[in-house]
């Protein structure tokens, strides 16, 4: 049971591949900001079922003083207007875990919807 929330609906993640295993990567909010929405952070959950599975989880992040903004030199990241306000990783963590939903004066969102 891995499910992603797409358009407000929980959908099963399935494959029909010929291999005996699959690898799924859920990217987080920082990738959403770095790619200016090209790689979306997604809501996901696991529903227990009768199938055996092995799951590895890795959470990592950059130093607190790193600036989080669209990657310069990445065409898909900078072709459109910046969607999210620039911030340091420390600012992102502080506001994310405080439950704030702040916007900057330009109206850019701090968090994805």
């Amino acid at each position: 049971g891995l499910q992603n929330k797409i358009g407000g609906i929980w959908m099963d993640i399935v494959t029909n591949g010929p291999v005996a295993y699959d690898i799924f990567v859920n990217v987080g909010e920082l990738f959403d900001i770095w790619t200016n929405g090209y790689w979306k952070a997604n809501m996901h959950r696991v529903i227990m079922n009768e199938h055996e599975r092995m799951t590895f989880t890795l959470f990592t992040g950059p130093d607190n003083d790193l600036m989080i903004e669209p990657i310069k030199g990445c065409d898909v990241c900078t072709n459109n207007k910046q969607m999210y306000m620039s911030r340091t990783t420390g600012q992102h963590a502080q506001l994310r875990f405080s439950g704030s939903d702040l916007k900057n004066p330009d109206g850019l969102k701090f968090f994805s919807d």
Side-chain angles (χ1 to χ4, degrees), residues 19-94:
V19 296
Y21 60 88
D22 296 298
I23 297 174
F24 293 96
V25 178
N26 288 312
V27 300
E29 293 171 340
L30 298 185
F31 276 97
D32 199 343
I33 299 164
W34 280 325
T35 65
N36 203 27
Y38 185 76
W39 285 357
K40 297 279 185 202
N42 63 323
M43 294 286 293
H44 60 280
R45 68 183 183 185
V46 175
I47 303 297
M48 299 303 293
N49 59 30
E50 70 279 359
H51 300 289
E52 181 179 328
R53 75 169 182 280
M54 185 178 295
T55 303
F56 296 93
T57 308
L58 173 68
F59 295 93
T60 185
D63 292 335
N64 282 340
D65 59 348
L66 182 74
M67 185 58 69
I68 307 300
E69 58 193 355
I71 301 168
K72 291 170 180 46
C74 170
D75 290 341
V76 297
C77 305
T78 56
N79 279 345
N80 298 317
K81 184 179 181 213
Q82 186 172 337
M83 294 173 55
Y84 308 105
M85 66 181 275
S86 298
R87 81 298 301 264
T88 65
T89 306
Q91 290 169 324
H92 178 82
Q94 181 182 24

